[in-house]
Amino acid sequence: MVLPIHDDNPTHRTPWVTYLLILINVVVFFTEPIARISLTDETKLQQICRQEAFFRRYAAIPREITTGDQLPAVGQAAPPDSCRLIDPPPYEKSPAMSVLYAMFLHGGWLHLGGNMLFLFVFGNNVEDRLGRLRYLLFYIGCGYLATYAFAFANAQSTTSLVGASGAVAGVLGAYLVLFPRARVVSLITFLFFFPARLPAWLVLGSWFVIQYFYAQGAGLTTGSNVAYLAHVAGFAAGFLAMLLLRPKPRRRPPAYAFRPR
């Protein structure tokens, strides 16, 4: 595994949108039940029920996205050691908006930390090149495309999809197009951590290949709760979009144009 921690690629302006996205993700995480589990006296089952009910309300769910209708029943913690189903749910949910909400939800500290690290390392340069507004729209657009790609590949799934991974993967794809030769300081994990300065094409290319092979056969790899297919789709969307959005190099006028008469 290659873990990027810094790139040697200075920017010309402060990446305020990237910082804001990271801040929103962290703040939203603290509103989730999972962030406060250790502070409550609930049983383990009640904690799981409460977190799942939270995700059912705000996270993206493939069956809801593909049908346009929310699930008919949701679980809720009930004392002392049980979950109960509420049918119908006590709220109206918009599947399309849940895709946006899901981009700012995470399933744990490692999930949040990994996504924010990649966004911090690579997002600033992509924002610098695109400009703040285009970058924000690009980020959200990649997140939507990644989620919908996974949803239509797993149309009957009722698994909650959360995390900024699809949007962040789009940023990685864009970075690969823009700065393939930029040097990225990374930690290579093989029993121990070995620091190395590697070209971006190797760091990001290897990341994509790993995600692609994990995604083969099913969106959710057996025994895993990671939507690798969403990573692949987000990366591909960002890569292809940046091929269209990046400014073309200016052509120099022919030498004879500068010759004095």
Side-chain angles (χ1 to χ4, degrees):
M1 178 179 177
V2 178
L3 185 66
I5 56 176
H6 175 68
D7 66 334
D8 297 332
N9 195 4
T11 59
H12 297 91
R13 49 187 166 182
T14 304
W16 291 118
V17 174
T18 297
Y19 293 160
L20 180 61
L21 288 170
I22 293 173
L23 177 62
I24 293 174
N25 275 277
V26 172
V27 171
V28 170
F29 180 74
F30 279 103
T31 70
E32 296 182 35
I34 195 172
R36 305 189 301 273
I37 280 178
S38 61
L39 303 178
T40 68
D41 296 326
E42 293 179 321
T43 65
K44 185 67 173 179
L45 179 59
Q46 288 176 317
Q47 294 168 356
I48 293 174
C49 289
R50 191 175 299 281
Q51 180 65 27
E52 182 59 22
F54 181 87
F55 281 161
R56 290 290 182 185
R57 180 167 186 175
Y58 296 107
I61 298 176
R63 186 184 293 180
E64 292 182 338
I65 293 172
T66 55
T67 63
D69 298 317
Q70 69 184 74
L71 295 179
V74 294
Q76 181 171 307
D81 295 302
S82 63
C83 292
R84 63 179 178 180
L85 287 178
I86 300 178
D87 185 6
Y91 52 80
E92 291 291 330
K93 179 180 181 181
S94 168
M97 288 303 298
S98 71
V99 178
L100 178 62
Y101 302 153
M103 293 183 210
F104 298 94
L105 302 175
H106 290 84
W109 287 103
L110 287 178
H111 190 201
L112 173 69
N115 282 337
M116 295 305 99
L117 174 63
F118 275 78
L119 182 58
F120 178 78
V121 173
F122 299 106
N124 57 347
N125 293 104
V126 178
E127 178 181 346
D128 193 42
R129 180 62 65 91
L130 285 179
R132 295 188 176 102
L133 180 58
R134 281 210 307 171
Y135 171 72
L136 179 60
L137 296 176
F138 173 86
Y139 178 91
I140 294 174
C142 288
Y144 263 88
L145 287 171
T147 303
Y148 271 86
F150 180 90
F152 279 99
N154 301 270
Q156 297 305 312
S157 173
T158 58
T159 301
S160 300
L161 297 178
V162 296
S165 305
V168 173
V171 173
L172 303 186
Y175 192 100
L176 181 58
V177 172
L178 296 171
F179 313 104
R181 295 181 178 84
R183 291 290 169 173
V184 180
V185 179
S186 306
L187 295 178
I188 302 176
T189 58
F190 183 75
L191 299 180
F192 300 98
F193 289 98
F194 298 97
R197 291 178 71 253
L198 304 172
W201 66 263
L202 179 59
V203 175
L204 300 178
S206 62
W207 181 89
F208 176 77
V209 169
I210 291 172
Q211 306 304 307
Y212 176 80
F213 280 112
Y214 278 142
Q216 288 301 295
L220 282 173
T221 304
T222 303
S224 170
N225 61 349
V226 180
Y228 292 105
L229 181 59
H231 299 177
V232 172
F235 189 97
F239 185 91
L240 295 175
M242 189 51 59
L243 288 177
L244 299 175
L245 292 174
R246 66 175 176 177
K248 296 180 179 180
R250 295 180 179 178
R251 292 184 177 181
R252 292 183 178 180
Y256 64 78
F258 297 98
R259 291 177 183 172
R261 294 185 179 182

